[in-house]
């Protein structure tokens, strides 16, 4: 505990990303800032159950209650992925995996099983995680992304850990990027949204936003998504090369 930081990595959160990622022009290239071990960089590898609607046929099934939009009809096609973290973890390292396991509450057996299944999927696939601060290292990762794919920078439950001046520098930087789509899932007070509708209940919820447009309330580990914004998920999203 003296040597490590709190950096819970929850693959269930991919169920919140998929409705937005699948609606963008395909294929996509993903950069996650604050990626921890990168388990959320693999939304194309997991299976999703949105109510009665099953997407995929793998053995790691992520359940999510979807309110206000139709379930996505496809998973995103990911052609490139990279992550950035102050302290990236490697799921192939038994010490790092044990730390991720220790960050799951003892009674959350389902989350622990999900963590280990996702870690096995990630360990089998080459990954590109770099160490660095999100306000400083992002531009070099962007320069490596393939130009023929829709480039998506995303983060979830990260900016609350970033001091306000660094957070402002990151927001300022990302606003000036022209070829990037920006997906944020953060607490309602972390980014400067105005006129958010009241949350559906009094639990702690995050806001899903695309390019600074708030779209939905989301539950912490990806269990539920309540849509309130414009339906950016309608339509297929088309082809990134067009
Ligand atoms: C709560 S974890 C969330 C991990 C992952 N996004 C998820 O949702 O499963 C926050 C992560 O952000 C990273 N982080 C915090 N401040 C950062 C910064 N300034 N630059 C890069 N990563 C940072 C931490 O190291 C940690 O891995």
């Amino acid at each position: 505990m003296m040597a490590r930081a709190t950096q819970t990595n929850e693959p269930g959160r991919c169920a919140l990303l998929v409705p937005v990622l699948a609606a963008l022009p395909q294929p996509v290239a993903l950069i996650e800032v604050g990626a921890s071990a990168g388990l959320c960089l693999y939304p194309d590898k997991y299976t999703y159950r949105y109510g009665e609607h099953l997407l995929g046929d793998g053995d790691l099934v992520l359940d999510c209650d979807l309110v206000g939009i139709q379930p996505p009809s496809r998973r995103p096609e990911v052609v490139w992925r990279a992550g950035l973290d102050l302290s990236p973890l490697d799921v192939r390292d038994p010490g790092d995996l044990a730390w991720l396991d220790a960050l799951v509450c003892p009674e959350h057996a389902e989350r622990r099983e999900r963590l280990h299944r996702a870690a096995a999927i990630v360990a089998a696939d080459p990954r590109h995680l770099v160490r660095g601060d999100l306000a400083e290292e992002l531009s070099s990762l962007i320069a490596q992304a393939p130009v023929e794919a829709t480039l998506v920078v995303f983060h979830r439950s990260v900016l609350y850990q970033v001091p306000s001046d660094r957070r402002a520098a990151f927001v300022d930087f990302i606003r000036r990027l022209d070829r990037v789509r920006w997906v944020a899932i953060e607490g309602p007070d972390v980014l400067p949204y105005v006129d958010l509708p009241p949350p559906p209940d009094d639990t702690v919820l995050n806001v899903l936003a695309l390019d600074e447009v708030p779209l939905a309330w989301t539950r912490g580990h990806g269990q539920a998504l309540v849509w309130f914004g414009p339906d950016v998920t309608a339509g297929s999203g088309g082809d990134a090369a067009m």
Side-chain angles (χ1 to χ4, degrees), residues 18-183:
V18 163
V20 173
L21 295 181
L24 295 173
Q26 304 292 306
V28 294
L30 301 179
I31 298 177
E32 183 179 11
V33 294
S36 185
L39 301 184
C40 295
L41 276 166
Y42 294 75
D44 52 331
K45 305 282 188 192
Y46 307 141
T47 294
Y48 303 90
R49 187 163 43 216
Y50 296 103
E52 301 289 304
H53 184 77
L54 196 65
L55 204 56
D57 56 8
D59 61 359
L60 173 52
V61 181
L62 304 175
D63 281 290
C64 180
D65 287 336
L66 211 53
V67 176
I69 50 164
Q70 291 299 312
S73 58
R74 64 180 180 192
R75 294 180 291 186
E77 182 192 347
V78 181
V79 288
W80 186 88
R81 65 194 100 219
L84 166 64
D85 201 284
L86 284 179
S87 172
L89 298 176
D90 186 343
V91 291
R92 296 165 301 181
D93 177 321
D96 282 1
L97 189 55
W99 177 241
L100 286 170
D101 187 297
L103 293 171
V104 176
C105 300
E107 70 276 22
H108 289 183
E110 193 184 328
R111 287 185 61 209
R112 180 163 289 100
E113 186 182 334
R114 196 157 69 211
L115 165 69
H116 287 279
R117 283 179 187 251
I121 290 169
V122 171
D125 199 25
R127 63 203 191 103
H128 183 34
L129 282 189
V130 299
R131 183 181 301 274
D133 184 271
L134 52 78
E136 285 160 12
E137 300 298 331
L138 183 54
S139 56
S140 77
L141 273 186
I142 287 173
Q144 296 168 43
V147 290
E148 62 278 8
T150 301
L151 179 55
V152 182
V153 173
F154 72 96
H155 48 89
R156 198 271 165 205
S157 288
V158 174
L159 295 189
Y160 79 96
Q161 296 186 354
V162 178
S164 56
D165 58 331
R166 310 291 299 155
R167 194 189 303 170
F170 171 72
V171 169
D172 185 53
F173 173 75
I174 208 163
R175 277 181 178 152
R176 286 187 278 113
L177 300 170
D178 52 7
R179 64 173 279 239
V180 165
R181 307 303 300 268
W182 177 18
V183 178

